[in-house]
Amino acid sequence: MIDKKIRFKRDCMGCHGCMNICPEKCISMESDKEGFLYPKVDYDVCINCKKCVNICPMISKIKEDNKPLAYACINKNEKIRLESSSGGVFTLVAEHVLDSGGIVFGACFDYKFELEHKWVKTKEHLSKLRGSKYLQSKIGSSYSHAKHLLDLGLYVLFSGTPCQIAGLKSFLGWKKYDNLVTIDIICHGVPSPKVWGKYVKFREREANSSTQRIFFRRKDEGWKRYSVSFLFKNDTEYRKTLNEDLYMKAFLQDVCLRPSCYDCEFKGLNRHSDITLADFWGIENILPEMDDDKGISLIFVNSKAGEALIEKIAEKMLFKQVDINEAVKYNLAAIKSAAPNPNREKFFKELDKLAFDKLVKKYCSDNLSVRVKKRIKVLTKTVLTKLGLLDFIKRNVTIK
Ligand SMILES: Cc1cc2nc3c(=O)[nH]c(=O)nc-3n(C[C@H](O)[C@H](O)[C@H](O)COP(=O)(O)OP(=O)(O)OC[C@H]3O[C@@H](n4cnc5c(N)ncnc54)[C@H](O)[C@@H]3O)c2cc1C
């Protein structure tokens, strides 16, 4: 049934809710040419119960009316904060849930570096969920798993993109569970898992090795100038900043996002989650005294359950309340969808034909201001090297 309701690709955000609810297990999620998953119904088995249609959050479009409060937050544990994408608040909430005997769901790489939602029940496994992975995570059967655990009375934290949280709530029939807390993120949009897979293969070919670990947000050069890093099994490392890395270029230039992300239904300040997490971009203008460039989270507390949780972890954080509208001015992804890149169609048409570097160079060239900045950087470096000043500056000058 549900596949007939998807007239356009943008009508499905791939939450897997329909697959999870189907009593006959006749819905599978299949990859399209771009690498995004969509439901496919086996009509020989379908009993036409319409459960899949009724729980689709893209069809029911339930709206919330909460009054979120916004905070700038830093996890006082510096090690965890540096391993996290922004201020490390996810880990604090997750640890609280685990300490209370609960279970935490989130996005986790498997051994092939494909991304899937998994659950953990110990702090030692939490590191697998920590950190942003910039591609769409496969929900699989995690909604059914979460429901099973909730019905057993276990405390469950489910984290994901805003559409994944809407999918879960809808799958649960919008029933209020006192033992469920949800975290969503401010989400720019999710790139195609196929594009990501091609990039991983490209990096492995360049390194002549398979991958051991991947970090999207290394903060060695600062949180604002974060780097993507691959550690390979042959003990080599690839590391490039967000402006130089080919995959981040494709992601940030909106050339490979899921079609539904360009008209996202789940943006705004009235969210389905209890807590929303994000990078506090613009902190230097709003609370410069908190900005040490090691990562700060912007959080929205959307519900009483979210408020109670934040109170529980408050002593482990440095935090300050901020005006939500002021904060959102620097993080428009909270309320506004990405605009489709005019090269998107051509990019996907050539995805299977061109090597990854050629594809990105062809369809994601830097805009003029980035090109000028890069040119100035190269020229400055060349002049300083010629004058013999580069090493001296590196050793003696800290640039703030
Ligand atoms: C695809 C994507 C786009 C984002 N876009 C923005 C943005 O435009 N602006 C902004 O301020 N912040 C954005 N974020 C959020 C930001 O990167 C951090 O995830 C957030 O600030 C939480 O950081 P943390 O330090 O508290 O925890 P971290 O430990 O860094 O975050 C871990 C949490 O992120 C979840 N997660 C990681 N990858 C995914 C994924 N692919 N799908 C679903 N959940 C995932 C994990 O399950 C876990 O809950 C985005 C994140 C993702 C994954």
Side-chain angles (χ1 to χ4, degrees):
M1 232 6 213
I2 187 71
D3 50 356
K4 293 193 174 146
K5 290 277 176 187
I6 302 169
R7 285 198 305 134
F8 304 103
K9 291 274 166 89
R10 63 168 187 265
D11 295 339
C12 171
M13 41 59 168
C15 75
H16 292 58
C18 51
M19 183 197 95
N20 276 268
I21 201 84
C22 178
E24 299 301 313
K25 303 270 164 277
C26 70
I27 302 178
S28 53
M29 297 296 288
E30 302 210 345
S31 180
D32 72 349
K33 277 192 192 145
E34 295 181 348
F36 295 107
L37 297 170
Y38 294 89
K40 187 160 190 296
V41 179
D42 178 349
Y43 286 98
D44 289 341
V45 183
C46 174
I47 54 169
N48 202 20
C49 67
K50 298 193 178 65
K51 282 191 175 170
C52 53
V53 176
N54 294 336
I55 65 111
C56 176
M58 295 286 272
I59 296 171
S60 60
K61 297 195 180 174
I62 303 274
K63 297 282 173 218
E64 302 283 347
D65 182 21
N66 40 38
K67 310 254 172 310
L69 296 177
Y71 298 85
C73 299
I74 291 174
N75 184 335
K76 285 186 192 167
N77 181 328
E78 177 122 337
K79 184 172 174 290
I80 298 290
R81 183 181 173 206
L82 290 174
E83 285 172 12
S84 306
S85 306
S86 55
V89 177
F90 164 71
T91 298
L92 281 179
V93 179
E95 283 182 346
H96 171 75
V97 170
L98 295 174
D99 284 342
S100 317
I103 307 280
V104 178
F105 285 77
C108 173
F109 276 132
D110 68 8
Y111 71 102
K112 290 198 277 183
F113 292 94
E114 290 174 3
L115 193 64
E116 192 169 355
H117 258 62
K118 293 259 164 67
W119 54 272
V120 301
K121 57 178 184 178
T122 62
K123 283 191 198 170
E124 136 199 37
H125 290 123
L126 196 56
S127 59
K128 296 183 196 170
L129 309 188
R130 194 176 300 130
S132 295
K133 294 103 183 166
Y134 294 120
L135 65 144
Q136 184 161 35
S137 168
K138 185 168 135 188
I139 287 290
S141 50
S142 52
Y143 290 169
S144 303
H145 259 97
K147 182 172 185 316
H148 176 68
L149 298 168
L150 287 166
D151 290 339
L152 286 176
L154 279 153
Y155 190 18
V156 172
L157 164 62
F158 200 101
S159 64
T161 58
C163 57
Q164 290 171 334
I165 299 304
L168 171 71
K169 293 271 175 109
S170 197
F171 170 77
L172 296 172
W174 301 101
K175 180 178 158 188
K176 257 208 138 349
Y177 281 88
D178 290 338
N179 50 337
L180 171 68
V181 279
T182 52
I183 285 185
D184 71 353
I185 47 181
I186 289 185
C187 177
H188 178 84
V190 286
S192 149
K194 182 173 172 182
V195 173
W196 169 248
K198 187 174 168 99
Y199 184 55
V200 173
K201 284 205 185 93
F202 170 77
R203 278 281 147 247
E204 292 185 342
R205 256 196 312 275
E206 293 281 300
N208 200 16
S209 174
S210 50
T211 308
Q212 201 174 324
R213 271 201 85 172
I214 298 174
F215 305 89
F216 278 87
R217 301 281 300 261
R218 283 203 71 128
K219 296 177 179 173
D220 310 55
E221 289 189 46
W223 160 59
K224 292 174 197 140
R225 229 175 95 78
Y226 61 87
S227 313
V228 175
S229 148
F230 281 62
L231 297 177
F232 296 102
K233 289 192 178 151
N234 65 1
D235 284 336
T236 60
E237 185 188 4
Y238 157 87
R239 195 185 301 185
K240 283 265 181 320
T241 61
L242 74 158
N243 297 318
E244 297 159 336
D245 179 73
L246 296 171
Y247 182 79
M248 290 308 285
K249 256 188 192 176
F251 169 42
L252 295 172
Q253 292 194 22
D254 305 324
V255 81
C256 56
L257 303 181
R258 189 172 176 106
S260 56
C261 298
Y262 298 106
D263 190 14
C264 176
E265 286 284 338
F266 306 98
K267 291 201 179 275
L269 299 184
N270 279 301
R271 292 177 168 247
H272 295 302
S273 65
D274 296 304
I275 298 171
T276 300
L277 299 179
D279 286 285
F280 205 134
W281 303 131
I283 190 75
E284 64 280 15
N285 302 315
I286 297 179
L287 289 171
E289 66 278 16
M290 279 183 88
D291 179 20
D292 57 4
D293 206 18
K294 292 180 183 172
I296 302 189
S297 297
L298 165 64
I299 75 166
F300 302 161
V301 179
N302 303 320
S303 69
K304 288 264 175 261
E307 208 177 297
L309 251 173
I310 295 301
E311 270 170 27
K312 294 254 165 54
I313 60 169
E315 63 176 23
K316 295 182 177 166
M317 298 192 295
L318 300 173
F319 64 97
K320 256 191 184 158
Q321 192 171 350
V322 294
D323 179 319
I324 196 164
N325 295 309
E326 195 58 26
V328 164
K329 273 189 205 161
Y330 298 96
N331 205 332
L332 289 176
I335 52 171
K336 205 166 170 269
S337 300
N341 185 312
N343 286 329
R344 188 183 183 284
E345 208 172 306
K346 292 186 211 148
F347 178 94
F348 276 108
K349 245 188 190 149
E350 298 209 72
L351 180 60
D352 294 326
K353 293 183 199 147
L354 293 181
F356 198 87
D357 51 344
K358 297 214 165 68
L359 187 70
V360 172
K361 274 179 195 141
K362 190 164 174 187
Y363 293 117
C364 312
S365 55
D366 292 328
N367 65 33
L368 186 64
S369 86
V370 175
R371 283 209 305 271
V372 170
K373 271 188 204 153
K374 278 190 177 167
R375 192 82 201 118
I376 292 173
K377 203 174 146 194
V378 171
L379 280 172
T380 315
K381 222 171 158 180
T382 314
V383 171
L384 290 174
T385 311
K386 280 203 173 143
L387 294 173
L389 285 173
L390 192 62
D391 277 348
F392 175 81
I393 289 174
K394 272 189 187 162
R395 266 185 273 115
N396 298 294
V397 180
T398 313
I399 299 167
K400 296 247 176 194

